Amino acid sequence: MACYQWRSRAVMATLIAVSVSACVPMQRQRAAYTDLCQSEYSFKVPGPQGETTLTLETYLYDHAISYAPSRYRQALFSIPYVNEPEAKPEFYVQLIAYNKNRLRPSRPGKKGEPAIPVLYDSRQAYVTLEDGTRVNARPELFLGMLAYDFPIPDMRYAHQSPYDINSDEVHRRIPKLTNNDDYGSVYVIFKTPSLTENAKWTIHLGELMVAGQKVAIPPMPLCYHPKKEWIGIEPLMRP
């Protein structure tokens, strides 16, 4: 009996030692980055059943895959331009637009409100850089991948403006890792290199056309997020 108790205590001590060694405090940090100061906007718009709420979400990164220790990065493979020898990385803004309680085509059988067409024309969009230079957006709106919140760099997945960004075609495409697991998105792409952590740009998307009415989108300045440091406990590494 005493031998059994000794063995049990030894096993328990070993388990505790392994557990403690697996939860070692570690110095962690996330590099500084620039992001939108505000990502979500709500508007009151006319709808089939009267006034309803239209939500517009905007993102520069797929936050779902940006783990705490890693830098936030955009992930866009270059899209070639005609008569240009080399394609370069470009900047993009993700748009997710939907009316309140909208029927979700990705979940057949579920109830919901009818979709309200939301037309958007990327030809009105531009970015103002630090020196005041304006960079216009591509005239096409791009659909996204089905794995991550990244635009597909393929003209077969591009739509000429104006385009209904609240369409079933958009909302059927929901990535596995995404900023919104209920609705899909489109991407506005600008012919300018990826932003740096110190970028002081302002994004001007223009307006939406909803039920024959123009809905202005406020200018979107960027905010600086400094480097973050913390002590993390393995394997729980998020701050």
Side-chain angles (χ1 to χ4, degrees), residues 22 140 176 212 236:
E140 307 90 2
K176 295 179 180 179
L236 305 176

Side-chain angles (χ1 to χ4, degrees), residues 109-130:
K110 298 288 185 179
K111 296 182 180 180
E113 297 295 326
I116 298 176
V118 178
L119 296 179
Y120 180 69
D121 192 334
S122 64
R123 292 172 295 184
Q124 65 187 312
Y126 63 94
V127 171
T128 304
L129 306 182
E130 290 89 346

Side-chain angles (χ1 to χ4, degrees), residues 19-28 230-239:
S19 176
V20 170
S21 64
C23 298
V24 177
M26 299 285 289
Q27 183 71 32
R28 288 301 207 188
W230 72 97
I231 298 296
I233 305 297
E234 293 282 8
L236 305 176
M237 298 314 304
R238 289 185 178 274

Side-chain angles (χ1 to χ4, degrees), residues 45-52 116 210-211:
V45 298
Q49 307 300 325
E51 188 178 72
T52 188
I116 298 176
V210 185

Side-chain angles (χ1 to χ4, degrees), residues 190-236:
F190 302 83
K191 189 181 178 182
T192 189
S194 299
L195 73 168
T196 67
E197 64 272 18
N198 296 312
K200 296 179 175 62
W201 301 356
T202 301
I203 301 165
H204 304 264
L205 294 179
E207 58 193 20
L208 307 170
M209 183 65 71
V210 185
Q213 297 189 17
K214 295 180 179 180
V215 177
I217 304 171
M220 300 176 182
L222 302 184
C223 285
Y224 176 75
H225 297 259
K227 181 175 72 174
K228 183 172 185 176
E229 296 184 349
W230 72 97
I231 298 296
I233 305 297
E234 293 282 8
L236 305 176

Side-chain angles (χ1 to χ4, degrees), residues 2 39 52-53 55 63-64 73 81 98 106 163 202 206 212 218 231:
S39 289
T52 188
T53 300
T55 298
H63 291 269
R73 297 181 185 277
Y81 277 81
Y98 52 93
S106 63
Y163 176 63
T202 301
I231 298 296

Side-chain angles (χ1 to χ4, degrees), residues 100-152:
K100 185 177 180 180
N101 300 324
R102 185 207 193 282
L103 180 67
R104 289 174 282 184
S106 63
R107 301 182 185 181
K110 298 288 185 179
K111 296 182 180 180
E113 297 295 326
I116 298 176
V118 178
L119 296 179
Y120 180 69
D121 192 334
S122 64
R123 292 172 295 184
Q124 65 187 312
Y126 63 94
V127 171
T128 304
L129 306 182
E130 290 89 346
D131 61 359
T133 302
R134 286 176 48 154
V135 178
N136 295 326
R138 280 177 171 266
E140 307 90 2
L141 289 160
F142 287 77
L143 298 177
M145 298 181 179
L146 291 176
Y148 310 107
D149 271 328
F150 305 151
I152 303 176

